[in-house]
């Protein structure tokens, strides 16, 4: 069975392929010759994951899943939320995004820095659509620490840890992260299909 993962990121693709039963062959957007950036114009993470999955199903007639992730800070009413990637502008620069968030939280104590990452996956399988969700709770650090990871990793401290995602070993991050949790649900579903 062939299933498209609506991403251009081969690293993500390989990671997920390893977790799936052998009879499922994952294809990336590049593999199906979909070279454009699918516009993420919805007001919610769910909406954007659905747009991406539906785009592939509509234009290529293939079963597909797509993910969308946001960082939600409670004292900022859920910002940056659906705008996480481009919080500080369309250049989607991780340093600019973190600087903007640290500025927005300047002077706030730990309990006002509560935040969580949320990943939503939309799966289109034949005529059915299924949604999966993964969350990791934590808080935003006072400053950046650590070199590993990407995006907001240097300022996100998951609950139960004193270090940021950029300081925790990647294997550990990958077992507790929002994306891992959403993926685990998807994989469980596909294995039981
Ligand atoms: P995407 O939907 O996977 O492209 O994620 C949207 C944005 O969320 C990215 O551009 C990153 O800035 C941020 N993000 C997603 N996952 C992570 C993560 O695991 N650590 C840090 N930032 C992340």
């Amino acid at each position: 069975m062939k299933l498209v993962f609506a991403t251009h990121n081969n690293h993500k693709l390989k990671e997920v392929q390893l977790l799936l039963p052998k009879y499922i062959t994952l294809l990336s957007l590049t593999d199906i010759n979909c070279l454009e950036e699918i516009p993420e114009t919805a007001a919610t993470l769910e909406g954007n994951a659905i747009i991406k999955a539906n785009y592939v199903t509509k234009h290529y007639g293939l079963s597909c899943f797509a993910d969308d992730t946001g960082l939600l800070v409670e004292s900022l009413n859920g910002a940056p939320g659906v705008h996480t990637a481009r919080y500080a502008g369309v250049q989607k620069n991780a340093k600019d995004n973190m600087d903007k968030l640290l500025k927005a939280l300047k002077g706030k104590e730990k309990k006002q820095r509560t935040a969580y990452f949320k990943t939503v996956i939309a799966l289109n399988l034949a005529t059915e659509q299924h949604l999966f969700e993964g969350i990791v709770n934590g808080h935003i650090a006072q400053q950046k620490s650590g070199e590993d990871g990407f995006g907001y990793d240097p300022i996100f401290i998951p609950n139960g840890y004193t270090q940021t995602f950029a300081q925790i070993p990647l294997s550990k991050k990958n077992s507790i992260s929002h994306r891992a949790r959403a993926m685990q649900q998807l994989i469980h579903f596909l294995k039981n299909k």
Side-chain angles (χ1 to χ4, degrees):
M1 168 190 168
K2 290 196 171 156
L3 185 59
V4 178
F5 181 4
T7 180
H8 288 293
N9 184 333
N10 278 331
H11 181 75
K12 267 194 194 177
L13 190 86
K14 273 189 197 144
E15 229 176 67
V16 179
Q17 176 73 73
L18 285 174
L19 300 170
L20 285 171
K22 293 264 180 309
Y23 68 88
I24 299 176
T25 304
L26 276 192
L27 301 171
S28 71
L29 290 176
T30 319
D31 290 331
I32 61 165
N33 218 16
C34 173
L35 303 178
E36 61 263 48
E37 283 281 323
I38 304 170
E40 298 180 24
T41 50
T44 60
L45 299 173
E46 287 80 0
N48 279 334
I50 289 170
I51 285 178
K52 288 188 274 184
N54 286 356
Y55 184 95
V56 172
T57 302
K58 179 171 169 210
H59 293 273
Y60 297 86
L62 297 166
S63 290
C64 174
F65 67 91
D67 67 339
D68 200 37
T69 295
L71 174 62
L72 292 90
V73 180
E74 282 176 22
S75 64
L76 300 179
N77 299 317
V82 74
H83 304 296
T84 296
R86 51 187 187 280
Y87 184 45
V90 288
Q91 72 277 17
K92 296 186 178 177
N93 180 277
K95 182 179 175 300
D96 294 349
N97 285 339
M98 286 190 287
D99 288 344
K100 180 170 176 181
L101 187 53
L102 288 175
K103 200 166 163 199
L105 293 174
K106 201 168 175 180
K108 292 197 195 291
E109 288 169 18
K110 185 177 168 185
K111 65 174 188 290
Q112 292 175 291
R113 306 176 81 89
T114 302
Y116 61 97
F117 274 110
K118 175 174 162 181
T119 294
V120 176
I121 295 174
L123 168 71
N124 285 352
L125 210 53
T127 57
E128 297 169 21
Q129 185 163 75
H130 302 269
L131 293 180
F132 306 93
E133 184 180 302
I135 282 176
V136 59
N137 289 299
H139 70 277
I140 303 300
Q142 293 288 349
Q143 74 260 316
K144 292 173 216 150
S145 307
E147 302 296 328
D148 291 342
F150 70 100
Y152 295 78
D153 278 349
I155 60 169
F156 184 81
I157 301 179
N159 284 353
Y161 293 80
T162 53
Q163 293 182 307
T164 68
F165 260 167
Q167 295 172 300
I168 293 170
L170 187 59
S171 57
K172 186 78 213 163
K173 180 193 165 189
N174 282 346
S175 67
I176 61 167
S177 82
H178 45 300
R179 198 171 15 263
R181 288 176 174 158
M183 283 295 174
Q184 279 155 12
Q185 284 194 36
L186 170 78
I187 288 159
H188 179 77
F189 177 85
L190 288 172
K191 279 185 174 162
N192 290 293
K193 254 299 187 193

